Amino acid sequence: GDTRFWRELFTSMPGVEASVITAEDLGDDPAPDGDGYDVVVYAGVDVPENPKAPFLAVAAAGGIDGVTVTGVAETPAVTLLRTDVDLLADVDLTQVAISQALRITVADDVDVLVAGENAPLLVRGQSGGQRFALLTFRLSDSNLPLQVAFPILGDRLLTELSGTALA
């Protein structure tokens, strides 16, 4: 599933140490708040109410401050790609095929970076004082991990969320 894609991506990056807790490991327990970590990826689990680290949320059905889940979008095609943003400069996501994504609405202070028609696919903002990015679809519901853009996007997300892009 998605955990494997993220683990393989991040452990292939020099200087990155990845710790993985799967949804199965959690059972009915909430996801950890990220205290002590530089960046946390919440893939297929709800983001804690008060995250203690910047995070990437993937298909987080519970929503995030400034983001409300309103349903599901079937086969959204990429129609908006904000290449004017450093995170996405020269990253081609136009060939990404997605079977389904969460349909969301966002507050004014949340940036929509990639979207299909009426379906934001990648957004970023702040939640509880922490930087976040939200990918509204599971990797396993798309061909993104097979695209050349995936490792580039993953590296840039990690850099931006960890704050090293700001240095």
Side-chain angles (χ1 to χ4, degrees):
D2 279 18
T3 304
R4 180 176 181 185
F5 290 123
W6 294 113
R7 180 185 315 127
E8 293 298 322
L9 174 67
F10 292 132
T11 58
S12 71
M13 296 176 181
V16 174
E17 181 181 330
S19 299
V20 177
I21 299 172
T22 66
E24 292 78 25
D25 293 336
L26 289 173
D28 292 333
D29 294 333
D33 62 12
D35 191 27
Y37 289 90
D38 296 324
V39 176
V40 178
V41 178
Y42 296 106
V45 297
D46 290 340
V47 175
E49 191 172 312
N50 295 305
K52 303 277 191 266
F55 61 91
L56 169 62
V58 182
I64 300 167
D65 287 345
V67 178
T68 303
V69 177
T70 61
V72 175
E74 298 294 334
T75 62
V78 174
T79 57
L80 169 72
L81 181 59
R82 294 275 313 276
T83 56
D84 61 313
V85 175
D86 287 345
L87 177 69
L88 296 173
D90 300 317
V91 176
D92 183 9
L93 298 174
T94 59
Q95 298 304 309
V96 174
I98 303 162
S99 63
Q100 69 176 16
L102 297 175
R103 187 175 301 279
I104 62 171
T105 58
V106 299
D108 291 340
D109 61 344
V110 175
D111 298 325
V112 177
L113 303 176
V114 180
E117 188 173 329
N118 298 316
L121 301 170
L122 175 62
V123 301
R124 71 175 174 191
Q126 291 220 351
S127 176
Q130 301 295 339
R131 287 181 298 279
F132 78 83
L134 167 64
L135 195 63
T136 61
F137 58 93
R138 296 180 321 170
L139 293 179
S140 56
D141 288 336
S142 76
N143 67 352
L144 178 58
L146 305 176
Q147 301 289 319
V148 171
F150 180 60
I152 299 166
L153 178 62
D155 179 67
R156 290 189 186 168
L157 283 167
L158 184 63
T159 300
E160 182 171 294
L161 291 170
S162 68
T164 56
L166 305 175

